[in-house]
Amino acid sequence: MTAASLRARLLVLIVCVLAAVLVPLGFLSAQHTLEEVDELSDGRLAQAARTLEVLVDRIGVEQLRQQRAARLLVPSVSNHPQELTVQGRTFESEVGFQVFDRDGTLLLATENLAALPRTQATDGSYEDVRKGKYEWRVFTLIKEDDDIVIRAGERYDSRNEITRALWIEHGLPMLLGLPLMAYLVGWAIRRGMRPLDALAKALSRREPGSREPVHLRDAPTELQPVLAALNEQIGQIEEALERERRFSADVAHELRTPLASTMINLEDAMASARPDEAEAALQAARECLVSLARRTEQLLALARLEAGAAAGPRSRVDLSELALDVIEEMSALIGSGGVELSVELPDHQFVEGYGVALSALLRNLLENAFRHVPRGGHVELSIRQAGGEAVIEVVDDGPGIPAEKREAMFTRFQRGIDTHGSGYGLGLSIVQRAVELNGARIRMLDRDDGASGLRVVVSLPTA
């Protein structure tokens, strides 16, 4: 089943809301108008009875009674043969009156109301009385002084016509207006959603791999957060793809040499007839595989740090405890290198950061120092607090790095010319990424005592 479009949903919802509001309002308005018409018509009957009371006073009640004593016919006011016509309609047959004396004898009446029986209505009351096929609304006025009862009546026909006219007046515009309103609302929705159509066209026209942000001229306020989030997502996807491409290139570049060396050594071992030569070739192949494993580990560590996958949520990290763990992990390298390590750590130094990234930072700083310091050299690791920051400092007495080349050392595969051991120029790249993840600062400085070597200082916000 095909899902309804957003335009169709909006159209249906808006029309339903309009109908839900306008129909009850129209019904209530018509009902209130009818109540007002009924009150006005009742007031008109009362006014007619009062007017007739004045006329009866002028004619004289006794004169009306004498006519009855003379056995005259009941004086009736005929509506025929010339009825009052207003705009093509006659109204005289729809209204009438009666006058009774104290004995209930009809003294005066209109022809259309002459046969309407008298009831026991009270003074000033209204009642509904049926006569033949018609129903009348009757107002009763009792003149106590002369014992005269005056009744003014109106047929419900006229009121029903007014009711029908009012319902048509209120209902017909709504019946005709709702479809027209639905059409206009649909047109307004289509016009209002043009920016979405423009966004869809802009996205469909984008070239694969394009990094250009999506722009819409005169974008509505409601669409601007969508554009901002979309551009941010496009940027993140492009960054992820770039990391993948860069990682693939790094792997192809860095693993080609150790793999080739391993294959050559294995072929030499297999081709050699002398055991000592074969053993030497196998040992060389093993060293190539160890080199390959380390290089792969560094590439994966750098990829994880760049993707932020290894960081996870920030947490409270004890740098002193972390440094001891890293030193214990590197104990074999430290013991075999012939380089002295001195450590100055506080009991605890807490920071708010990513533990995995900080471990990689400490490990690579120490590895970098040990690989540049010749046998018999010295490396110092210290952690302290200064100016509201936790400061990690690694000092070595190796050849150092010229000031003009220090910035470039954070680039991938950039190695110092006097490197000892099997470095691949990835260590400081990992350090740089860890610094960025933790919002820290890193500086490469000369030693304070002026001797040769390098001093690396990392400053992190404390917890």
Side-chain angles (χ1 to χ4, degrees):
M1 182 176 179
T2 305
S5 68
L6 185 58
R7 291 185 179 90
R9 292 183 181 183
L10 286 175
L11 177 60
V12 170
L13 288 175
I14 292 175
V15 171
C16 289
V17 169
L18 289 175
V21 173
L22 294 179
V23 170
L25 285 179
F27 178 80
L28 293 175
S29 176
Q31 194 173 36
H32 178 71
T33 304
L34 289 174
E35 291 175 357
E36 293 291 334
V37 169
D38 287 340
E39 291 181 5
L40 181 62
S41 298
D42 288 346
R44 186 181 62 179
L45 285 179
Q47 184 65 34
R50 294 294 182 187
T51 303
L52 188 57
E53 178 186 8
V54 174
L55 294 177
V56 168
D57 286 341
R58 295 210 172 186
I59 294 173
V61 177
E62 291 301 327
Q63 183 177 354
L64 292 176
R65 287 174 178 168
Q66 289 173 5
Q67 290 178 352
R68 174 194 170 198
R71 296 176 179 263
L72 295 176
L73 292 175
V74 175
S76 297
V77 180
S78 175
N79 299 93
H80 301 286
Q82 295 181 348
E83 294 180 337
L84 178 63
T85 302
V86 179
Q87 295 182 352
R89 291 193 54 196
T90 59
F91 294 92
E92 293 188 10
S93 61
E94 298 175 359
V95 295
F97 64 86
Q98 295 174 317
V99 179
F100 295 90
D101 66 2
R102 68 171 65 91
D103 298 326
T105 302
L106 184 63
L107 302 179
L108 187 66
T110 57
E111 187 175 289
N112 58 357
L113 211 61
L116 191 68
R118 181 182 176 183
T119 60
Q120 299 299 320
T122 59
D123 182 33
S125 64
Y126 292 90
E127 57 183 335
D128 296 332
V129 181
R130 176 166 288 278
K131 175 193 173 187
K133 62 179 181 179
Y134 298 115
E135 187 173 4
W136 294 76
R137 179 71 168 173
V138 179
F139 173 77
T140 301
L141 176 64
I142 300 177
K143 199 169 183 295
E144 297 290 347
D145 296 341
D146 300 322
D147 291 332
I148 295 297
V149 176
I150 300 173
R151 302 173 77 194
E154 178 188 18
R155 270 187 7 207
Y156 268 107
D157 298 28
S158 59
R159 296 196 181 193
N160 292 338
E161 290 176 0
I162 294 175
T163 300
R164 284 192 295 270
L166 285 174
W167 281 119
I168 292 174
E169 181 181 348
H170 285 78
L172 189 59
M174 194 169 300
L175 291 176
L176 298 177
L178 279 178
L180 177 61
M181 192 176 299
Y183 173 78
L184 294 177
V185 167
W187 174 83
I189 290 174
R190 288 192 299 273
R191 186 175 181 84
M193 295 188 69
R194 284 181 180 176
L196 285 179
D197 296 332
L199 176 59
K201 291 179 181 178
L203 292 176
S204 64
R205 289 195 300 263
R206 286 177 61 86
E207 295 293 333
S210 174
R211 298 186 181 184
E212 292 296 324
V214 180
H215 292 293
L216 285 183
R217 189 175 65 178
D218 300 328
T221 304
E222 294 80 5
L223 202 56
Q224 291 176 3
V226 177
L227 286 173
L230 182 61
N231 288 329
E232 182 180 358
Q233 190 67 25
I234 290 174
Q236 292 176 355
I237 292 174
E238 292 299 330
E239 289 177 4
L241 292 175
E242 179 61 26
R243 284 196 299 268
E244 294 294 332
R245 289 190 289 266
R246 191 165 58 239
F247 178 73
S248 300
D250 293 346
V251 169
H253 178 268
E254 287 301 304
L255 301 188
R256 180 174 60 243
T257 300
L259 281 174
S261 300
T262 302
M263 292 298 296
I264 292 172
N265 286 310
L266 288 176
E267 290 174 357
D268 290 344
M270 294 173 64
S272 176
R274 297 177 55 183
D276 56 340
E277 291 181 354
E279 183 180 354
L282 289 174
Q283 181 64 30
R286 181 182 181 280
E287 291 176 357
C288 287
L289 289 175
V290 171
S291 172
L292 178 63
R294 170 167 172 74
R295 191 172 300 194
T296 303
E297 179 185 348
Q298 283 194 319
L299 286 169
L300 291 175
L302 183 59
R304 285 194 298 267
L305 286 176
E306 285 185 339
R314 285 178 179 263
S315 61
R316 186 178 172 88
V317 180
D318 188 348
L319 284 180
S320 299
E321 182 178 347
L322 197 67
L324 292 175
D325 292 340
V326 170
I327 292 171
E328 182 179 356
E329 177 186 341
M330 298 177 58
S331 58
L333 174 63
I334 296 172
S336 63
V339 177
E340 180 184 356
L341 174 65
S342 61
V343 180
E344 183 180 349
L345 303 175
D347 293 336
H348 298 283
Q349 179 60 63
F350 293 99
V351 295
E352 198 75 26
Y354 302 114
V356 175
L358 290 174
S359 294
L361 181 146
L362 284 169
R363 182 168 52 252
N364 282 278
L365 282 180
L366 290 175
E367 286 182 355
N368 189 68
F370 277 103
R371 295 183 191 284
H372 286 80
V373 174
R375 183 173 290 274
H378 183 251
V379 175
E380 300 175 6
L381 170 64
S382 64
I383 296 177
R384 67 182 187 277
Q385 183 168 347
E389 293 181 319
V391 179
I392 302 173
E393 189 170 308
V394 178
V395 182
D396 64 65
D397 55 3
I401 302 175
E404 65 273 10
K405 295 184 178 180
R406 290 172 182 171
E407 189 68 27
M409 294 306 297
F410 293 107
T411 306
R412 291 176 168 214
F413 311 118
Q414 184 70 35
R415 301 177 63 194
I417 59 174
D418 296 321
T419 299
H420 300 273
S422 56
Y424 308 109
L426 288 172
L428 289 179
S429 295
I430 295 174
V431 170
Q432 176 69 15
R433 183 55 181 152
V435 165
E436 293 173 356
L437 284 173
N438 287 277
R441 294 179 292 111
I442 185 169
R443 292 170 292 166
M444 287 185 176
L445 306 172
D446 296 326
R447 290 173 57 108
D448 290 336
D449 55 9
S452 64
L454 184 67
R455 183 165 66 99
V456 182
V457 180
V458 180
S459 303
L460 299 102
T462 56

